[in-house]
Amino acid sequence: MAERQTGRHRRPPEEQATYREVFAVGEFRALWLAQALSFVGDQLAQVALAVLVYDHTKSALLTAVVYALTYLPPIVGGPVLSGLADLFPRRTVMIVCDVLRAGLVAFMALVAMPVGVLSALVFVTVLLGTPFTAARAAVLPDVLEGDRYVAGTAINNITHQGTQMLGFLAGGAVVAAVGTHGALGLDALTFGASALILVGGLRRRAPSVRRERDALRLWRGTRDGVRLVFGDPVLRSLVLFAWLCAFYVVPEGLAAPYAATFEDSDERAVTVGLLLSAMPTGMVVGAFLFSRFVRPANRLHAMGWMSMLACLPLVGAGAHPPLWGVVALWALSGVGSAYQLAANAAFVAAVPASGRGRAFGLAQSGILAGQGLGILVGGAAAQLLGPETVVALAGALGLSAAAMLTLVWNRLRGTVVAGSRDRTDPLVVAAPPSGGDELSGVSGSAPAP
């Protein structure tokens, strides 16, 4: 648990933090700027991959397979590698991961290679993002406390979705101007810049646990993380709420074939960018309204119905609306996905500092793996049913899952709220005695915490 702050930084649990107050923390500014740069580069790469693969193959399945490579690596090693964030200084983990990713992406930009080799390098690059994300998620509660953490998470989400929105809109034009390899080169530069910012802006902290001989057995840490999260009904419900994004991320993986139903190939890049920007735009609006105008305890009450709102609009795709209608529906889904802010706050309040890397890594890996599998299955189904029908089915399935989770959550919510009122620590909410950063994630890329 983060150390309490005293003096003018201390605040009652229900008092809402301001964005200005969050940005006044120098370490947060460094974390925010480093991640924002990486977000921008990643959006350029994603647009280039989606357009390039579909234009060459005309296959929704192959497009989804390549796109899913930005999500699937956590299935292989995510929960294991995330334990590095507890065994080594988290600042060091983030910097090393950034340097390695910069080198790999630069190699892809400079050397011509077969698609299979390129896909393997993409896989490794994304896999290195798992310990980075776990380390960043674990260190954020040490940098921000109480509702400042919620406000900081909202800023991160708004930044993530904002860069997606702008990156996807401008991505087609940028890729057309600099080419695919040029876009990869820009992505490599953003990783390098992120490492430099973290070197200068984030202070050193000791590892949360001692590196004893058996502590290096990362599989044991993975098992402990699973027990920690799934052994408690509240944490289990919160992480399942986070994993709902596997349903409402499906439209993102089908944007290119969906765009083909509206426009000729000459205009497809613009339409793909417009569709990909719809959900991030909604998420920006939802995260701002949810964090600024809903009080901390009330966010827990709204979480269930907002999770259903994240899925319900997608059902409308089955009616084959025009382009403007699709954009509006996807944006409304993005608004609903802002419920992830409440899940973030509740989750981080309950996870001990020594286990943050494992717990957050498990949650993030599940998010990324679920998104990757959702996109992959959606792409395969779109080959037979068409992208509109598959998006509608994903929305219906997600709505059903969200409704069941909400029924369970309504029985647990009172205990969580009561626990938060009994605490003197200025954290937003707390788990009950029987019993989590960044679970958020629409897209993205990993989702981005």
Side-chain angles (χ1 to χ4, degrees):
M1 183 177 298
E3 295 179 359
R4 294 187 191 176
Q5 296 176 349
T6 58
R8 65 184 182 88
H9 294 291
R10 186 179 174 87
R11 59 173 58 254
E14 281 292 300
E15 188 176 346
Q16 292 176 258
T18 65
Y19 291 165
R20 178 181 296 180
E21 186 178 353
V22 173
F23 273 113
V25 180
E27 287 188 291
F28 174 78
R29 290 197 303 271
L31 286 170
W32 172 80
L33 182 57
Q35 195 74 341
L37 285 171
S38 295
F39 286 157
V40 170
D42 289 345
Q43 305 325 308
L44 295 177
Q46 284 184 310
V47 171
L49 284 172
V51 175
L52 180 65
V53 174
Y54 190 76
D55 281 348
H56 280 74
T57 66
K58 305 300 180 185
S59 169
L61 175 59
L62 290 178
T63 303
V65 167
V66 175
Y67 199 90
L69 284 174
T70 62
Y71 295 92
L72 293 180
I75 298 176
V76 176
V80 179
L81 294 180
S82 64
L84 295 172
D86 290 331
L87 299 177
F88 299 94
R90 288 157 181 164
R91 173 179 177 269
T92 301
V93 171
M94 288 186 282
I95 292 170
V96 170
C97 288
D98 266 344
V99 171
L100 292 175
R101 289 186 292 177
L104 287 171
V105 177
F107 183 70
M108 288 186 277
L110 296 174
V111 179
M113 61 190 69
V115 174
V117 177
L118 184 65
S119 298
L121 291 178
V122 169
F123 186 93
V124 175
T125 301
V126 176
L127 187 61
L128 286 170
T130 300
F132 178 95
T133 300
R136 184 180 181 279
V139 81
L140 188 60
D142 292 330
V143 174
L144 300 174
E145 190 183 64
D147 201 52
R148 271 189 299 276
Y149 173 81
V150 178
T153 302
I155 291 170
N156 287 336
N157 286 340
I158 291 172
T159 302
H160 186 192
Q161 307 307 325
T163 54
Q164 281 192 306
M165 175 180 62
L166 297 177
F168 285 144
L169 284 173
V174 173
V175 171
V178 303
T180 303
H181 291 283
L184 289 173
L186 290 175
D187 195 15
L189 289 177
T190 62
F191 283 127
S194 172
L196 291 175
I197 291 168
L198 293 174
V199 168
L202 193 64
R203 70 180 179 86
R204 300 174 185 270
R205 290 178 173 85
S208 295
V209 297
R210 292 188 307 169
R211 283 176 288 173
E212 298 171 354
R213 192 167 74 177
D214 63 346
L216 292 175
R217 299 176 185 173
L218 296 179
W219 281 109
R220 179 181 177 181
T222 302
R223 182 192 62 192
D224 293 342
V226 171
R227 288 178 176 175
L228 173 64
V229 172
F230 286 94
D232 173 73
V234 171
L235 293 181
R236 183 168 61 245
S237 293
L238 291 170
V239 83
L240 290 176
F241 268 117
W243 290 356
L244 277 176
C245 61
F247 296 101
Y248 57 78
V249 78
V250 169
E252 182 178 306
L254 297 178
Y258 211 123
T261 66
F262 296 111
E263 303 287 353
D264 295 331
S265 58
D266 291 342
E267 300 179 358
R268 186 172 303 130
V270 176
T271 306
V272 170
L274 182 63
L275 290 174
L276 286 172
S277 69
M279 281 192 178
T281 301
M283 179 61 182
V284 168
V285 174
F288 176 78
L289 296 176
F290 198 56
S291 63
R292 297 303 301 135
F293 298 105
V294 180
R295 295 189 68 81
N298 292 338
R299 296 169 189 156
L300 294 175
H301 293 268
M303 190 167 67
W305 69 261
M306 285 191 69
S307 70
M308 290 187 281
L309 178 62
C311 301
L312 177 61
L314 302 181
V315 179
H320 302 276
L323 178 59
W324 67 265
V326 175
V327 171
L329 289 172
W330 292 15
L332 185 58
S333 173
V335 172
S337 68
Y339 77 88
Q340 298 273 9
L341 293 175
N344 285 354
F347 195 80
V348 74
V351 176
S354 61
R356 281 183 196 155
R358 291 186 292 271
F360 296 164
L362 175 67
Q364 279 287 347
S365 296
I367 288 172
L368 295 173
Q371 287 176 326
L373 287 175
I375 290 172
L376 191 59
V377 172
Q383 290 285 97
L384 301 175
L385 304 175
E388 302 100 323
T389 302
V390 171
V391 169
L393 287 174
L397 292 172
L399 179 61
S400 300
M404 290 187 288
L405 280 175
T406 299
L407 290 175
V408 175
W409 177 247
N410 286 341
R411 295 197 297 268
L412 298 172
R413 187 183 62 205
T415 307
V416 178
V417 174
S420 69
R421 290 172 179 166
D422 293 338
R423 295 179 61 91
T424 58
D425 192 325
L427 286 171
V428 181
V429 291
S434 63
D437 155 6
E438 313 254 3
L439 301 186
S440 18
V442 177
S443 161
S445 49

